Amino acid sequence: MKRKRTRAAAAGILAAAALLPLGGCAKEEPEASGKNYIGVAYYNQSDTFLNELLDSFRSQLKDMQGGDMETVVMVRDAAGSQRTQDDQVKELISAGCDILCVNLVDRADPSEIIDLARENEVPIIFFNREPVAEDLMQWDGLYYVGAEAEQSGYMQGELAADLIETDSQVDRNRDGKIQYVVLEGEVGHQDAIIRTETVVEALTDRGIELEKLSYQIANWNRAQAENRMEQLIGQYGSQIELVLANNDDMALGALDAYKNMNYTEAAYPVVFGIDGTKAGLEAVMDSEIAGTVYNDKEGQAGAMARIALALLRGEGLEDVEFQSERCVYLPYEKVTKGNVSEYLMRSR
Ligand code: GAL
Ligand code: CA
């Protein structure tokens, strides 16, 4: 890989950068050369799924790199600001990162980051928040690792349909329809929009009659979901029979709301999530969440590590299974109480 700056220059910048407050990452700052630096920029450090994904990335990278190579991972949290992330990417490149893994804040706004990477010949592996295809086509040093949102929503709907068909208690008021609410992720996020659409599509395909009471946006966040759910319960009370949450943290937040409002367990509606985070899987195990859809963080982190190492070594990219050009999509899987223990073991 051709680089415009020398290692020495990078080390100098790194020494200076180490003096800046960088949100808890200072101890990761490299001082010596001979190592490979991987910069990771992600949209928000309060995101449970991404934190678990990044833990898996670090450990798989270590397992895969072998004795001949040493990598240092430098992580930056954009705290929800694209401008902050643009600056962080600039800083990571100046610090001598050889590869970047970027989880965009605004998936529609990667142009500054792409320009910087291309000028400096630092490849980017985008992950989880998918840039639009035209942006990914801008340069052949751009990759994407994620999953197909359609699949996760559809599977969530199938899980809900399985339960509704077998358990007549779900339709509490016995009117032949399922009254439901949706807890949505972020506005403009492909996973939120598409999951909300396809979950309903799957239920409708199975001939289940639905009545949407309302929806709330809770930004993937447990505390926000709890708050929004309290509002929904205040408005609709025991009319709510089904809660479809775009992710596990929001499903758990919905349950927190019922607990806080002193509902008895028998009065809870059925709740479904997506992700299979540690807490989500445990809630499935404890029968608090009726089911979730596994967002394969180990598979995604593994693909990121494999691409990063292949780019660093200058070989092995042909072993990566790209579905479309430079993109890897890992399949989702349905999780219920019947198979949850398998997934609890998998997430390490
Ligand atoms: C989704 C995931 C959410 C959240 C979001 C962040 O794929 O299900 O929990 O992590 O990505 O972009
Ligand atoms: Ca009903």
Side-chain angles (χ1 to χ4, degrees):
M1 195 180 310
K2 257 194 296 154
R3 302 301 309 277
K4 295 195 172 158
R5 280 162 293 98
T6 61
R7 285 278 181 195
I13 296 164
L14 283 168
L19 302 173
L20 301 170
L22 290 169
C25 295
K27 64 176 183 308
E28 298 165 21
E29 301 303 330
E31 326 96 1
S33 50
K35 297 176 182 172
N36 293 287
Y37 299 108
I38 300 177
V40 176
Y42 74 136
Y43 88 104
N44 202 322
Q45 69 173 4
S46 69
D47 190 291
T48 308
F49 170 74
L50 286 170
N51 285 330
E52 292 183 4
L53 185 151
L54 289 179
D55 283 347
S56 176
F57 175 68
R58 282 194 202 86
S59 82
Q60 292 194 64
L61 194 68
K62 231 183 232 155
D63 292 349
M64 283 182 205
Q65 68 193 6
D68 60 322
M69 201 177 228
E70 193 179 345
T71 53
V72 180
V73 178
M74 296 160 69
V75 180
R76 297 293 178 268
D77 159 32
S81 156
Q82 188 57 59
R83 187 172 293 186
T84 301
Q85 187 169 67
D86 294 349
D87 291 343
Q88 290 172 335
V89 164
K90 214 174 285 172
E91 179 249 323
L92 286 166
I93 291 177
S94 314
C97 283
D98 306 289
I99 308 279
L100 293 175
C101 295
V102 178
N103 171 245
L104 288 164
V105 177
D106 180 352
R107 62 185 287 251
D109 191 14
S111 36
E112 186 159 341
I113 288 179
I114 293 176
D115 290 347
L116 276 165
R118 184 167 38 189
E119 276 162 31
N120 291 281
E121 295 178 49
V122 178
I124 302 183
I125 304 163
F126 289 105
F127 64 103
N128 170 266
R129 299 159 78 93
E130 187 170 6
V132 292
E134 297 84 79
D135 285 326
L136 274 178
M137 301 295 273
Q138 282 189 42
W139 178 42
D140 64 5
L142 306 176
Y143 299 82
Y144 176 69
V145 176
E148 305 268 18
E150 286 81 8
Q151 200 189 22
S152 53
Y154 205 87
M155 284 183 169
Q156 187 184 48
E158 288 180 327
L159 285 172
D162 290 345
L163 184 70
I164 293 163
E165 284 168 0
T166 51
D167 181 356
S168 59
Q169 306 285 327
V170 179
D171 180 13
R172 292 179 169 275
N173 66 354
R174 309 231 178 267
D175 68 346
K177 292 184 218 158
I178 302 299
Q179 279 72 25
Y180 74 100
V181 297
V182 182
L183 290 172
E184 290 201 16
E186 287 164 83
V187 175
H189 190 304
Q190 84 278 6
D191 288 349
I193 300 163
I194 298 171
R195 285 174 185 169
T196 300
E197 270 169 26
T198 51
V199 66
V200 171
E201 199 182 301
L203 282 155
T204 314
D205 285 353
R206 291 275 283 268
I208 288 164
E209 267 202 69
L210 295 169
E211 186 186 337
K212 183 172 190 169
L213 296 175
S214 190
Y215 75 98
Q216 287 284 337
I217 290 168
N219 296 305
W220 310 117
N221 182 281
R222 182 167 179 164
Q224 279 186 42
E226 177 185 341
N227 178 285
R228 304 289 181 275
M229 194 69 215
E230 281 181 7
Q231 291 171 25
L232 290 170
I233 297 170
Q235 212 172 338
Y236 299 100
S238 56
Q239 281 179 67
I240 303 169
E241 297 173 336
L242 170 67
V243 178
L244 299 169
N246 281 171
N247 77 344
D248 283 355
D249 259 13
M250 295 189 294
L252 292 163
L255 285 166
D256 294 340
Y258 281 97
K259 286 179 193 164
N260 265 351
M261 293 174 90
N262 293 323
Y263 271 68
T264 57
E265 244 172 78
Y268 293 1
V270 287
V271 179
F272 287 90
I274 292 178
D275 274 345
T277 56
K278 199 164 176 294
L281 294 174
E282 273 158 11
V284 173
M285 187 63 128
D286 297 342
S287 306
E288 291 204 307
I289 292 182
T292 187
V293 178
Y294 203 71
N295 193 355
D296 185 2
K297 54 185 177 293
E298 290 77 23
Q300 291 164 37
M304 288 162 63
R306 216 162 292 125
I307 296 170
L309 289 171
L311 290 168
L312 289 171
R313 293 195 170 111
E315 60 177 34
L317 215 49
E318 60 289 351
D319 299 336
V320 179
E321 283 181 37
F322 292 107
Q323 270 87 38
S324 57
E325 219 183 327
R326 302 194 308 275
C327 294
V328 180
Y329 300 95
L330 273 297
Y332 284 98
E333 288 156 65
K334 291 185 218 173
V335 184
T336 58
K337 196 167 169 112
N339 65 353
V340 67
S341 53
E342 194 186 305
Y343 290 89
L344 274 166
M345 273 179 332
R346 192 197 294 188
S347 47
R348 31 179 185 142

